[in-house]
Amino acid sequence: MVHVSLVSVVFKTIWQRAERGLHLTPDHTHVFPQSPEDDDRKVRRREKNRVAAQRSRKKQTQKADKLHEEYECLEQENAVLRREIGKLTEELKHLSEALKEHEKMCPLLLCPMNFVPVLRPDPVAGCLPR
C-alpha cells in the first residue's frame, strides 16, 4: 500500500504543478512558463548568435582565402627559384668543363716554376693587433 500512496502523491504533485504552469523535464527539473520578455530575449540572443556565427564563418573563409593566395605566391616563387637553380647548375657544369679544358693547356699551370711554394704573408695576421 505504501507504493500506491507514493505514486498518488507524485501524480498529485505533478498535477498541481501543471495547474500552476510548471512542468517537469525528463531530468525532473522545473521549467517555468516564459514571459513575452523572455521570448523576445531568446529571439534577440539567437539573432545575435546567428550574426556572430556568420561573421566567424566569413572570417574563417577570408583567412583560408588569404592562406591559399599566399600558398599560390610561394609556389610560383618556388618554381622561379628551382628554374634559377637549374640554370646555375648548368652554368657551373659548363664552367667546370671549361676550366678542366683550360687546365690541360694553361702555360702557367704547366710551368715548373709555379710549383715552387711562395711564402706569402697571412692577410688575416696583418690585421690583428700585436
Side-chain angles (χ1 to χ4, degrees), residues 22-80:
L22 300 175
H23 306 289
L24 285 176
T25 61
D27 63 350
H28 303 292
T29 57
H30 299 290
V31 176
F32 296 96
Q34 299 217 337
S35 68
E37 295 85 20
D38 291 339
D39 289 340
D40 290 344
R41 208 173 310 135
K42 245 186 187 178
V43 168
R44 284 193 306 271
R45 188 170 3 119
R46 283 184 184 157
E47 178 64 19
K48 280 177 67 176
N49 189 21
R50 185 182 65 77
V51 170
Q54 284 176 336
R55 259 194 326 263
S56 176
R57 286 189 291 273
K58 184 177 180 181
K59 191 174 178 182
Q60 283 180 325
T61 303
Q62 289 172 341
K63 186 176 180 181
D65 290 345
K66 184 178 177 184
L67 285 173
H68 185 70
E69 287 176 15
E70 186 177 343
Y71 167 80
E72 291 293 328
C73 288
L74 290 173
E75 282 291 322
Q76 289 176 1
E77 184 180 350
N78 193 11
V80 167

Side-chain angles (χ1 to χ4, degrees), residues 90-104:
E90 284 298 315
E91 185 179 355
L92 175 64
K93 184 178 173 185
H94 172 71
L95 291 173
S96 295
E97 289 172 4
L99 179 61
K100 283 181 186 176
E101 290 298 317
H102 175 75
E103 286 174 342
K104 290 179 186 176

